[in-house]
Amino acid sequence: MKLSDVHACLSDGRLNPSGLPAGTALPYLTAFSILAKITGVPLIVFDSAGPVFAVRYPKNALPAEAAAYFRGDVAAYNSWRSLILDAQMLAARAPVDSDSWDGLRRVARICRGRAFATRLYHVSSRVPQCVFPWDIDRELVVKIDAALAGQGRSSFRQGLGALDALHGEALAREAGLLPPAKIGRLPTLTDHAAQFQLPPALVKFWQAASSPDRNALSFVWRMARMAGIFSAADDPAPEVFFAGGRGETLAGLDPQDFGLHRPSQNTYGIYLRRLSCRFTQMGGAGLPEGGSQAERRWAELKDLARLDPALSPARVWSLAAISNPAIKDGLAPADLEPQWFEARIKELAGPKRRAFLSACYALNELCAAHYGKRHLLPPAGTGVQRQRGRLRRS
């Protein structure tokens, strides 16, 4: 729509001034009169349409032909410019700014006010310069959001909320400046499955997996995506997840290097070993062998313990009272005999002795519940039993 047509719509009432920020047609008609004085041509022959006016009269930069009229007052110039562009936007219901983000903020200000429109700066200032409002999608904002913290993340999410709210405004939809769909609620920092959605092949594994395995896969996949080991287009089957050197690369990552403090590096290692165990059971590749044989066997036993519903996480953790001294002795679980446990108990006293005994009781339960996996457990058990509140060695 030509500017002369916009002026005509204002003059005869076809453009309702109540829909404009000023609420009355007079300021806008005055702005058009000033334009005629600056250009020296009647408005009826002024045929600029689309972003032509915005390009000819850029924001915050007084062009030579307007400088004499505004006498160097950039604020007054910007106010005059906004009056014309606001009227043009509402009449044309199409982009009129040379910058798409300026256009979207203009729509937001007309529809919801200046404070609301300001929120969009928190989005436009954080997306890459080559990204237009209609190019924004959930994957991009999730990636940006993950790199932010504190007030930065809060303001960014506030801006995205404003962007989503504009989908409810007819002018914003008609102008064609919005993303094709709402971004929606962003996941929390620890919602790993939502941060980076699993590809189909891993979704199939996830659906049949236990809760601990699901947690492990969600976080390890997130680490793999953030480190660039896999891309959004990749769909690795579990059998090849750790193949091609990816296992070594994954094992060398530290969650804190990616701004993640939970889960810890130790828990990440547990997740990797858990997945390695599951994927090798499916006939695929696992993590490269690392550490001593005793360390690897104890890691396998603790993975087994975590799957046992009778053992709480605290009781699984308590097994360290046995595994730590055993590893120092170079002994895997299957190498332990009752005599070793008896000798350790004699060396200990107080809290350390009680912790060791508690670990023995947990290990006894594993031996009883997993007879088919004796290769992971002490063949004769610990030899330590409870009997009416006092210790009895069998």
Side-chain angles (χ1 to χ4, degrees), residues 36 46 98 119 143 150-151 289 299 312 328 341:
F46 204 90
S98 56
R119 300 177 193 174
K143 183 177 180 180
Q151 183 58 37
E289 292 289 326
S312 66
K328 287 183 180 179
F341 290 96

Side-chain angles (χ1 to χ4, degrees), residues 197-207 221 232-238:
Q197 295 185 355
L198 296 171
L202 295 181
V203 167
K204 184 177 180 181
F205 171 87
W206 190 88
Q207 289 173 338
W221 174 251
D234 292 326
D235 185 18

